[in-house]
Amino acid sequence: MLDSVLVWIEKNRSLWMHDLKEFLAIPSVSAKPEHKGDIQAAAEWAAFYLRGAGLHATLVKTAGHPCVLATTPEGLCRPDAPHILFYGHYDVQPAEPLELWNSPPFTATIRDGKIFARGASDDKGQVFCHLAALAAWKQIAYELPVRLTVLLEGEEEIGSPNLRAVIAENADRLASASTLIISDSAQFARGVPAITTGLRGLVYYQMTVTGANTDLHSGVYGGAVANAANALSTILGQLHDNQGRVTVPGFYDHVQVPDAALRAMWKSLPFHEAEFAEELDVDQLYGETGFTTLERRWCRPTLDINGLTSGYQGAGAKTVLPATALAKLSMRLVPEQDAIKIAEAFESYIHQITPAGVRVKLERLSASPAALTPSTSPAIAAAVEACEEGMGKKPVFVREGGSIPVVTWFKEMLGIESVLLGFGLPDDNLHAPNEKLDVECFYAGIRTAAALYDRLGKMK
Ligand code: BES
Ligand code: MN
Ligand code: MN
């Protein structure tokens, strides 16, 4: 039956592309209140598409943006079919800076065999590969190979503040699933499919430094009253040592280096540091001494400034002592680190190194731990076969530096392990201008998803 489904998928390439473009046209930016209506529209669009594939789909209200929850009604799958969960997110990052896009972010445009749009790869395009695969199964087989529960989130890009509650409230419908499928990562390289077995965690802070109660003339007051921008720079300058290591006390406690076999496996992957540097137009790579670039990204924790604002930003010179200075900071965590302990260690270190004459306010915007997932299991075996069927190659096993908090929550709350199988490429410009998904990755993604459900349905 899979063969007929794959034939149908190939025959209907233009239909899938048309529908994907429709989905991508909805500016479902979760971070911005003015897009509330678009978020709702994207959730409804996805629910509508799932109904087309025969599923029973509803919107679940949360304190923020809704989730889409869909299940196979009686008759859409064999009564004894394995219960599988699929998670994805329909929200996207803001498209700014708009002037750096070569085509409008919410009008999917094909150039050089690539679909350019916000969400093309993260994550609407990859979610849509699954929706299309399900629609094709329904059309050709009149049933799905698995008992399926689909959970689509509208707040992933803002840290999933309400997802734990949704999981808890629907635990009875979710808990019997044997595995959670997620396509929100990437292939390792063009022609090298990958199963991701580890993600870093994330602790995120907004830090505000305040000096005097107003901006001050930098000649009249300079040297006599603390300057918030100077103070913030002093703090930020003390967060790393000259080996690139984070100086927060206890930051590396319990952090393990992967064993020699795993490090050797990563060294054997087709990755070339010189090419990586060249792609990014940097003359040298940067990072913690003693680790390769893949290790720095996959198994070492970091602390990075994500945003920095203070003082006069306009044309020309303005002589002023800024009264406030703001930084946004992320820490990427590895499996042995406890997110809350790291957050607390960070807060007390910042207070300890804050210079005299200013106050510092720390707002914790998210805190989620790293996740490791199995590299052998019946579901992983199904995913390996799906890659061979849909992408023509066996996958490599990798980790990723990004974060997907839901992986940890399904494990902790319901004991369900994830399979992370991405269809995009490492150069898809996630969160950046000109996000894209290669057209061939898109169709291969639909084929791979169709094959994955076939193999999962045959799991013992
Ligand atoms: N899909 C990404 C995470 C990702 C990117 C995993 C690349 C693997 C490879 C996800 O949408 C994302 O951006 N997550 C955020 C975390 C969140 C709490 C805002 C991240 O990693 O910054
Ligand atoms: Mn994503
Ligand atoms: Mn993202």
Side-chain angles (χ1 to χ4, degrees), residues 1-10 133 136-138 140-141 450-451:
M1 190 57 86
L2 175 63
D3 288 339
S4 315
V5 173
L6 293 174
V7 169
W8 176 259
I9 288 169
E10 286 309 295
W137 266 104
K138 165 76 162 63
I140 295 304

Side-chain angles (χ1 to χ4, degrees), residues 42-304:
E44 272 160 15
W45 191 96
F48 170 86
Y49 214 89
L50 286 160
R51 284 177 205 130
L55 287 111
H56 177 79
T58 54
L59 265 52
V60 177
K61 285 207 175 76
T62 73
H65 302 314
C67 285
V68 179
L69 192 58
T71 49
T72 37
E74 211 171 308
L76 189 64
C77 65
R78 303 180 333 259
D80 65 337
H83 184 192
I84 302 296
L85 264 163
F86 171 68
Y87 163 91
H89 63 93
Y90 69 82
D91 67 319
V92 299
Q93 288 271 328
E96 284 80 1
L98 298 179
E99 66 278 11
L100 296 183
W101 285 79
N102 297 324
S103 51
F106 298 106
T107 306
T109 306
I110 299 182
R111 283 193 307 277
D112 312 328
K114 302 172 176 91
I115 312 154
F116 288 90
R118 173 58 86 230
S121 182
D122 186 10
D123 182 28
K124 284 156 107 182
Q126 302 201 61
V127 165
F128 184 78
C129 290
H130 287 263
L131 303 187
L134 296 170
W137 266 104
K138 165 76 162 63
Q139 179 72 33
I140 295 304
Y142 308 111
E143 66 171 20
L144 305 185
V146 297
R147 179 148 89 82
L148 188 66
T149 302
V150 176
L151 175 62
L152 303 180
E153 192 196 352
E155 301 189 308
E156 196 275 345
E157 298 291 10
I158 54 172
S160 306
N162 297 295
L163 191 63
R164 254 179 297 202
V166 173
I167 298 171
E169 278 155 26
N170 294 279
D172 53 331
R173 296 169 70 178
L174 303 169
S176 69
S178 57
T179 196
L180 172 64
I181 305 296
I182 303 178
S183 294
D184 192 23
S185 48
Q187 301 186 50
F188 183 68
R190 199 175 295 277
V192 190
I195 290 174
T196 296
T197 59
L199 295 159
R200 289 194 288 189
L202 177 69
V203 172
Y204 201 103
Y205 275 96
Q206 175 160 309
M207 180 159 105
T208 314
V209 173
T210 314
N213 56 11
T214 175
D215 284 359
L216 299 169
H217 189 291
S218 70
V220 177
Y221 294 90
V225 178
N227 173 330
N230 290 13
L232 178 61
S233 310
T234 302
I235 295 171
L236 298 177
Q238 293 178 72
L239 298 179
H240 295 89
D241 68 13
N242 59 10
Q243 302 293 300
R245 284 171 63 93
V246 176
T247 47
V248 174
F251 195 74
Y252 294 95
D253 284 3
H254 316 296
V255 171
Q256 299 268 317
V257 175
D259 63 36
L262 192 53
R263 290 182 95 175
M265 202 265 263
W266 292 351
K267 284 221 168 75
S268 76
L269 292 169
F271 181 81
H272 305 288
E273 304 207 346
E275 282 172 27
F276 185 68
E278 199 180 307
E279 265 169 46
L280 299 172
D281 278 328
V282 292
D283 40 322
Q284 234 185 2
L285 291 172
Y286 162 88
E288 195 184 348
T289 309
F291 296 93
T292 67
T293 294
L294 289 183
E295 289 166 353
R296 288 169 179 168
R297 292 164 56 196
W298 293 355
C299 70
R300 299 301 296 168
T302 64
L303 192 167
D304 274 293

Side-chain angles (χ1 to χ4, degrees), residues 163-458:
L163 191 63
R164 254 179 297 202
V166 173
I167 298 171
E169 278 155 26
N170 294 279
D172 53 331
R173 296 169 70 178
L174 303 169
S176 69
S178 57
T179 196
L180 172 64
I181 305 296
I182 303 178
S183 294
D184 192 23
S185 48
Q187 301 186 50
F188 183 68
R190 199 175 295 277
V192 190
I195 290 174
T196 296
T197 59
L199 295 159
R200 289 194 288 189
L202 177 69
V203 172
Y204 201 103
Y205 275 96
Q206 175 160 309
M207 180 159 105
T208 314
V209 173
T210 314
N213 56 11
T214 175
D215 284 359
L216 299 169
H217 189 291
S218 70
V220 177
Y221 294 90
V225 178
N227 173 330
N230 290 13
L232 178 61
S233 310
T234 302
I235 295 171
L236 298 177
Q238 293 178 72
L239 298 179
H240 295 89
D241 68 13
N242 59 10
Q243 302 293 300
R245 284 171 63 93
V246 176
T247 47
V248 174
F251 195 74
Y252 294 95
D253 284 3
H254 316 296
V255 171
Q256 299 268 317
V257 175
D259 63 36
L262 192 53
R263 290 182 95 175
M265 202 265 263
W266 292 351
K267 284 221 168 75
S268 76
L269 292 169
F271 181 81
H272 305 288
E273 304 207 346
E275 282 172 27
F276 185 68
E278 199 180 307
E279 265 169 46
L280 299 172
D281 278 328
V282 292
D283 40 322
Q284 234 185 2
L285 291 172
Y286 162 88
E288 195 184 348
T289 309
F291 296 93
T292 67
T293 294
L294 289 183
E295 289 166 353
R296 288 169 179 168
R297 292 164 56 196
W298 293 355
C299 70
R300 299 301 296 168
T302 64
L303 192 167
D304 274 293
I305 303 167
N306 291 232
L308 202 49
T309 334
S310 182
Y312 179 62
Q313 313 276 326
K318 180 183 184 218
T319 49
V320 65
L321 305 183
T324 66
L326 185 143
K328 303 207 183 230
L329 296 157
S330 67
M331 286 170 267
R332 295 288 172 169
L333 307 185
V334 296
E336 302 80 14
Q337 290 175 299
D338 180 301
I340 300 302
K341 282 205 183 117
I342 292 293
E344 287 166 355
F346 172 78
E347 290 179 21
S348 70
Y349 182 57
I350 294 297
H351 287 118
Q352 184 197 320
I353 64 173
T354 298
V358 297
R359 277 154 290 142
V360 65
K361 183 170 94 185
L362 288 170
E363 290 163 90
R364 195 188 296 170
L365 302 187
S366 59
S368 64
L372 288 179
T373 58
S375 47
T376 54
S377 72
I380 291 288
V384 169
E385 289 185 23
C387 288
E388 292 181 284
E389 189 77 58
M391 304 198 256
K393 292 234 175 80
K394 273 201 163 66
V396 294
F397 288 84
V398 303
R399 290 194 198 172
E400 283 277 12
S403 310
I404 310 178
V406 71
V407 173
T408 308
W409 297 337
F410 267 98
K411 173 92 186 282
E412 283 178 3
M413 296 170 69
L414 303 175
I416 298 173
E417 295 279 11
S418 297
V419 173
L420 306 170
L421 176 56
F423 307 134
L425 290 172
D427 66 353
D428 280 349
N429 297 324
L430 312 185
H431 299 197
N434 302 306
E435 180 178 350
K436 59 86 178 167
L437 179 65
D438 284 46
V439 172
E440 285 314 315
C441 290
F442 173 52
Y443 296 125
I446 303 175
R447 294 194 299 270
T448 306
L452 178 62
Y453 292 115
D454 176 62
R455 296 303 199 272
L456 290 169
K458 291 173 176 156

